[in-house]
Amino acid sequence: MYGLHGNYWAHVLEKKTPPVLLETLGELNYETKILCSASQFFPEFRSTAWSGIQDTVEDAFEGEPWQKDRLVASRFGEWLDERENLDRPFFAFSLLDSTHANYSFPLGDTYFKPSSEKVGYIHLSYGLKPPDRWALFNRYRNSVRHGDAVVGNMVQSLRERGLLENTIILVTGDHGEEFFENGFWGHHSNFSQEQVAVPFVLRGPGISPGTENRPTSHIDLPRTLMELLGVSPEMAPRYTLGENLLKLPADRQVVSSSWSSLAMQISETDTMVLSAYSDDIPIRAYGRGWQPLKDENAVLRENTADLRKLLDQCQEFLN
């Protein structure tokens, strides 16, 4: 929502600063609705992204995650029908929870088999045998399939009301999920492609169909929407570190963030990680299989200029 690297999280939370994107939508008289399966109190999205529109947030749905996701989709259709001024533009956001561990889906919809009955965290801590890994992965895929159907229901709500062709739709995820490809399970343990590469589907008026192969990032979203709304590209340096997804450069610095670390991709296989919680050195270089590079210091020296650029970006919007 902010178009900034993840290191800004603590500062935004402290000041309860809303995103420029949502402030702009408010100035343009957009009606806003936030419908989420997961609580928006933690992480503190009510105090950050939604700080200026908390009264539009609904996140108290009940049931298993897959059930709450379905309720979100149903509520979205109801909200579209409740809107009084149909000429007024709207911005709606939903955070679904099916695909988050425990990987939730209706038991009767077990499409990928064999599928684990549950996520056994104790067994995971010791590692899993290949057949058990596959069953766990299938459980995840079943939850993704269910989430896909929920998104489809929301798109159908737009179609039934004649809104689909005049609405920009984005479907993405906040992180990937690793299933021991590099010796890890889940997410937030490293910045491997399995954990950081996510679907990113953008559809709507003014967006030509096709596949984008140039490097993209979540931080590109606000600038893309702002410029679709008519904001001049010359304004971008005042509010974002991102690019316009519809006018991407051929080459760029690719950065991923967690709550405590930043990772910069330096080649197809190598990544440098800056960590605030490091117990040895604050910058490390990793290669294939998420193994530290043997010539780590040489790699760091070779990329000094890009590291300096990244650190500058991490401070650029602090004030």
Side-chain angles (χ1 to χ4, degrees):
M1 289 297 157
Y2 290 87
L4 304 174
H5 297 326
N7 70 288
Y8 285 95
W9 165 260
H11 304 280
V12 168
L13 177 59
E14 178 185 0
K15 297 182 180 296
K16 296 180 170 54
T17 309
V20 171
L21 171 62
L22 289 182
E23 289 183 320
T24 303
L25 291 173
E27 293 170 1
L28 294 174
N29 195 35
Y30 270 69
E31 187 174 356
T32 307
K33 189 53 144 181
I34 313 299
L35 299 167
C36 299
S37 301
S39 171
Q40 301 297 280
F41 285 103
F42 185 81
E44 298 93 333
F45 296 132
R46 285 177 179 267
S47 301
T48 51
W50 319 135
S51 59
I53 53 170
Q54 286 204 48
D55 59 331
T56 72
V57 178
E58 293 185 31
D59 60 352
F61 300 94
E62 297 182 353
E64 295 295 318
W66 68 265
Q67 294 171 313
K68 291 191 286 185
D69 283 358
R70 288 186 176 183
L71 291 172
V72 163
S74 177
R75 178 67 186 120
F76 176 62
E78 293 174 357
W79 175 73
L80 290 176
D81 291 334
E82 292 171 0
R83 298 178 64 236
E84 296 180 357
N85 184 356
L86 299 183
D87 292 327
R88 184 182 178 189
F90 68 83
F91 170 85
F93 176 95
S94 291
L95 176 63
L96 304 180
D97 205 23
S98 296
T99 57
H100 213 275
N102 273 325
Y103 312 139
S104 181
F105 64 95
L107 293 180
D109 290 345
T110 307
Y111 184 83
F112 298 102
K113 301 177 181 179
S115 176
S116 300
E117 294 184 4
K118 61 180 180 179
V119 178
Y121 294 98
I122 294 178
H123 294 294
L124 276 168
S125 65
Y126 293 98
L128 294 177
K129 296 179 180 179
D132 295 326
R133 292 181 184 181
W134 183 247
L136 181 62
F137 181 51
N138 277 342
R139 180 177 179 87
Y140 173 67
R141 291 205 293 169
N142 284 320
S143 72
V144 173
R145 184 171 181 266
H146 176 263
D148 181 79
V150 171
V151 172
N153 289 339
M154 299 178 76
V155 172
Q156 182 63 19
S157 291
L158 292 169
R159 180 181 289 109
E160 291 173 350
R161 292 160 179 81
L163 297 169
L164 183 60
E165 299 309 317
N166 198 33
T167 301
I168 296 172
I169 299 174
L170 166 68
V171 181
T172 188
D174 54 343
H175 55 74
E177 202 81 348
E178 183 174 338
F179 289 87
F180 301 100
E181 288 89 348
N182 305 288
F184 301 89
W185 166 76
H187 58 274
H188 197 54
S189 54
N190 62 46
F191 290 94
S192 63
Q193 283 299 293
E194 289 79 9
Q195 295 196 33
V196 302
V198 297
F200 201 110
V201 182
L202 191 64
R203 177 197 191 278
I207 301 173
S208 300
T211 301
E212 180 57 72
N213 294 312
R214 289 168 292 187
T216 62
S217 171
H218 284 113
I219 67 170
D220 299 334
L221 173 62
R223 178 173 178 176
T224 305
L225 295 182
M226 293 277 277
E227 293 183 8
L228 283 171
L229 289 170
V231 176
S232 169
E234 295 179 359
M235 297 293 290
R238 300 187 183 186
Y239 66 89
T240 183
L241 297 169
E243 302 284 350
N244 186 328
L245 287 163
L246 306 180
K247 302 175 183 178
L248 286 169
D251 188 32
R252 65 186 296 197
Q253 187 181 67
V254 179
V255 177
S256 299
S257 307
S258 72
W259 299 54
S260 58
S261 304
L262 288 161
M264 182 176 69
Q265 188 175 331
I266 55 179
S267 72
E268 290 186 2
T269 60
D270 299 344
T271 303
M272 284 194 294
V273 177
L274 291 73
S275 176
Y277 298 152
S278 176
D279 57 2
D280 40 29
I281 61 176
I283 306 177
R284 300 300 305 267
Y286 296 88
R288 292 185 184 274
W290 207 249
Q291 297 299 311
L293 296 176
K294 293 181 180 180
D295 53 346
E296 191 171 48
N297 288 332
V299 172
L300 297 179
R301 284 194 294 269
E302 291 172 4
N303 291 274
T304 297
D306 283 339
L307 281 169
R308 184 177 290 114
K309 177 182 176 182
L310 175 57
L311 291 173
D312 287 343
Q313 290 177 346
C314 290
Q315 303 177 70
E316 186 173 343
F317 291 92
L318 288 181
N319 294 321

